[in-house]
Amino acid sequence: MKPSSASDCCPAPKSEPDLRPIEGEEADEELAVLAKAVGHLARVQILRILVRRTTCVCGDIVDELPLAQSTVSQHLKVLKDAGLIRGEVDGPRVCYCIEPRALRRLKVLVAGL
Amino acid sequence: MKPSSASDCCPAPKSEPDLRPIEGEEADEELAVLAKAVGHLARVQILRILVRRTTCVCGDIVDELPLAQSTVSQHLKVLKDAGLIRGEVDGPRVCYCIEPRALRRLKVLVAGL
DNA sequence: TATACGTATCGTAGTATAACGATGAAACCG
DNA sequence: CGGTTTCATCGTTATACTACGATACGTATA
């Protein structure tokens, strides 16, 4: 097992202000996309796993869920397409981590309701 | 047009503390259900309409969306099933309003990510 | 180079969602 | 009573989602 350059892919939270509007058609669409991505138990659990560990998680996500590898991979893709997570290739494996900016955006949009 | 007893169905925010856990299997499931309900543009827009007006909205929701009446009715049902809104029958129409408790719950769960 | 490992992608089947028009049911108005 | 308004439900069609096994692909290790 390699040390893995996991620390590379998890960006520091970087609290640069988010200037995007919190209302309007575009914000609505954004919220819908983000919420839809979160709208599945498996994906909520994946997010929880990634949030809990500040470091990146390589693949062991599959072991924590009662789902086939291909299914988990699909859920990861959904989250990635929504921008909520990022996957960094690290040798033979892939390291996933939260995209803090998107998660913060989701929180802001929901809080704005 | 009747005065409508709209004020009856919109409960005061009532900030009684929410003792439900913010994590764990049950919370995850709850978040998934709520997020799924929000995960559609039309439903986000409906929520926005209901939040904006503190008073209940009787049916004019259909006029504000570019969707057929039956489609809007379905979306309302989804939101109602998720517990996010409530529909009070008021004579021939139905008054919809936010269920503050559920909305607050959603905010707490998302913020807890 | 061959083998093993970790993931992604493909193909598929079953189920759910979204949209609409048409129809129904309940409450009001004439 | 008969018609109108308001909303829900039904039936249908098209599309999307979820899950799985099988397979392909890239990277390390023997």
Side-chain angles (χ1 to χ4, degrees), chain B residues 59 69-70 73 93-94 96:
Chain B
Q69 178 266 325
S70 60
S73 188
R93 14 178 180 275
V94 178
Y96 287 98

Side-chain angles (χ1 to χ4, degrees), chain B residues 12 14 16 24 34 36 59 67 75-77 80 87 109:
Chain B
K14 265 196 182 183
E16 27 168 85
L34 292 173
K36 185 174 185 177
L67 293 171
H75 285 303
L76 288 168
K77 180 170 163 47
K80 198 159 59 176
L109 287 172

Side-chain angles (χ1 to χ4, degrees), chain A residues 29-70:
Chain A
E29 195 129 13
E30 224 185 327
L31 174 53
V33 167
L34 291 173
K36 186 173 185 177
V38 180
H40 191 286
L41 176 58
R43 295 196 285 267
V44 170
Q45 293 173 328
I46 290 174
L47 286 177
R48 280 266 157 77
I49 291 172
L50 294 180
V51 167
R52 197 178 312 134
R53 323 193 184 180
T54 52
T55 170
C56 287
V57 175
C58 302
D60 10 313
I61 297 173
V62 176
D63 302 330
E64 304 213 29
L65 299 178
L67 293 171
Q69 178 267 325
S70 59

Side-chain angles (χ1 to χ4, degrees), chain A:
Chain A
M1 198 172 285
K2 241 188 57 181
S4 109
S5 53
S7 51
D8 296 349
C9 71
C10 294
K14 266 195 181 181
S15 45
E16 26 170 85
D18 196 333
L19 299 176
R20 287 173 286 180
I22 210 182
E23 276 188 25
E25 180 80 16
E26 201 160 333
D28 287 356
E29 195 129 13
E30 224 185 327
L31 174 53
V33 167
L34 291 173
K36 186 173 185 177
V38 180
H40 191 286
L41 176 58
R43 295 196 285 267
V44 170
Q45 293 173 328
I46 290 174
L47 286 177
R48 280 266 157 77
I49 291 172
L50 294 180
V51 167
R52 197 178 312 134
R53 323 193 184 180
T54 52
T55 170
C56 287
V57 175
C58 302
D60 10 313
I61 297 173
V62 176
D63 302 330
E64 304 213 29
L65 299 178
L67 293 171
Q69 178 267 325
S70 59
T71 305
V72 172
S73 187
Q74 266 187 181
H75 284 302
L76 288 168
K77 180 170 163 46
V78 172
L79 289 171
K80 198 159 60 176
D81 288 346
L84 281 166
I85 68 173
R86 177 198 310 204
E88 201 95 348
V89 175
D90 173 37
R93 15 178 181 277
V94 178
C95 285
Y96 287 99
C97 58
I98 290 285
E99 188 76 54
R101 190 175 158 79
L103 186 58
R104 228 180 316 132
R105 181 68 178 153
L106 172 62
K107 291 179 185 181
V108 167
L109 288 171
V110 170
L113 284 174

